[in-house]
Amino acid sequence: MLSKCKYILCVIVMLAVGGHAAAQTDRQHVRKGNVLFRKGDFSKAAVEYQKALSLNEHNTQAVYNLGCAALQMGNDSLAVEQFKAAGQAEPNKIRRAMAYHNIGVVFQSHQQYGEAIEAYKEALRNNPADNETRYNLVLCKRQQQQDQQDQQNKQNQPNKDQNKDQNKDQNKDQNKDQNKDQNKDNDQDKDKNQQDQSQQPRQQMSKENAERLLDAAVQEEKRTQDKLKKAMQQPRKRVLQKNW
């Protein structure tokens, strides 16, 4: 940025030579201001430019140079104000492009990319061959897109976190329900096993009773058969009738 201002100031010095006597006074202040500017004494240079403007408010060189001095002193608002005034009043397109280029630089340094882009566009309208301005314009557009993307991601982050929390809660509830159902099933299986175990002795006792009863019946049948068989083997006695 400083090299750009120095280049413009050298052009201004050469353009400031000559002119009618009435204009010599404000131009003399401009020349003094330029010398002080090159020495790095920006505050005194600004005073000389202001003196020039007090004598000739239409001196666009003093307007522009005052903007450069303000920029070097860190007074960006005054710098932009002077560059705008110079760009609007300067009839020469090249110098007008320089003024808008510097406006773009100030806005870009403050990350005000929208304003910087418009300033660079205006500079290129007046000087389409300025590749430095074109480069800054492309860089500003990329930075603006990146900022917009970062802002969008920042806005989406709360929704993402909220969805994450919701999914976490849902998974937690789902796992809780699954565990609850599993525990319920386990309890039911446990109760069923206990019931089966409690019923199993009964079933076993009933089977044993049945076997005992069957054995008893078989033994009784055997005894009965033995008695009949024994009775069949003994001689029969005929009963005599008393009166025939």
Side-chain angles (χ1 to χ4, degrees):
M1 186 189 305
L2 179 58
S3 60
K4 189 75 173 181
C5 292
K6 284 184 178 179
Y7 169 75
I8 297 169
L9 289 173
C10 290
V11 174
I12 291 173
V13 170
M14 290 186 292
L15 293 175
V17 177
H20 52 81
Q24 285 296 320
T25 304
D26 61 289
R27 291 188 177 185
Q28 287 176 351
H29 285 296
V30 171
R31 287 198 295 270
K32 289 180 181 179
N34 293 344
V35 173
L36 293 168
F37 188 96
R38 287 194 292 269
K39 290 181 179 180
D41 197 345
F42 306 117
S43 60
K44 290 183 179 180
V47 172
E48 292 298 325
Y49 298 141
Q50 289 171 342
K51 289 179 180 179
L53 289 173
S54 65
L55 296 172
N56 181 10
E57 62 181 4
H58 300 294
N59 189 327
T60 56
Q61 298 171 17
V63 174
Y64 178 87
N65 289 2
L66 179 58
C68 289
L71 189 62
Q72 294 297 329
M73 291 186 293
N75 193 343
D76 291 354
S77 59
L78 177 60
V80 170
E81 181 182 345
Q82 295 304 121
F83 290 144
K84 284 184 177 180
Q88 294 171 356
E90 177 59 53
N92 185 284
K93 286 188 175 182
I94 300 300
R95 292 197 293 270
R96 189 158 63 239
M98 292 176 179
Y100 285 108
H101 172 91
N102 285 355
I103 293 173
V105 171
V106 174
F107 281 125
Q108 186 175 2
S109 67
H110 289 279
Q111 299 182 352
Q112 295 176 260
Y113 300 121
E115 292 84 349
I117 288 171
E118 293 304 319
Y120 288 140
K121 286 181 178 180
E122 186 62 28
L124 288 173
R125 292 188 188 101
N126 289 277
N127 184 14
D130 190 346
N131 291 327
E132 183 179 354
T133 298
R134 183 171 287 104
Y135 172 82
N136 287 357
L137 176 60
V138 173
L139 181 60
C140 250
K141 287 182 177 180
R142 290 181 180 178
Q143 290 172 327
Q144 185 184 49
Q145 291 176 354
Q146 184 62 44
D147 280 359
Q148 291 174 349
Q149 183 65 37
D150 293 342
Q151 184 66 25
Q152 184 66 29
N153 293 337
K154 186 176 180 181
Q155 292 176 354
N156 292 337
Q157 188 63 33
N159 295 330
K160 184 178 180 180
D161 294 339
Q162 184 177 3
N163 292 333
K164 184 177 180 180
D165 293 337
Q166 289 178 351
N167 293 333
K168 184 177 180 180
D169 293 338
Q170 290 177 355
N171 292 333
K172 184 176 180 180
D173 293 338
Q174 184 176 3
N175 292 332
K176 185 177 180 181
D177 293 338
Q178 289 178 351
N179 293 333
K180 184 177 179 181
D181 294 338
Q182 186 174 1
N183 292 333
K184 183 177 180 180
D185 293 338
N186 292 335
D187 292 339
Q188 290 178 350
D189 293 338
K190 184 177 179 180
D191 293 340
K192 184 177 180 181
N193 292 332
Q194 291 178 350
Q195 183 177 4
D196 293 340
Q197 291 176 358
S198 63
Q199 291 178 354
Q200 185 174 1
R202 296 180 182 178
Q203 293 176 355
Q204 292 177 354
M205 291 296 294
S206 298
K207 184 177 180 180
E208 291 175 356
N209 291 335
E211 289 177 352
R212 283 198 296 270
L213 293 174
L214 180 60
D215 290 341
V218 170
Q219 292 298 327
E220 183 67 22
E221 180 66 20
K222 185 177 180 180
R223 286 193 293 271
T224 302
Q225 291 294 332
D226 290 341
K227 288 179 180 181
L228 291 174
K229 184 176 180 180
K230 187 177 181 180
M232 291 292 296
Q233 291 176 355
Q234 292 179 356
R236 298 180 179 179
K237 293 181 177 180
R238 187 174 55 181
V239 177
L240 297 177
Q241 295 179 357
K242 295 178 176 179
N243 299 317
W244 175 259

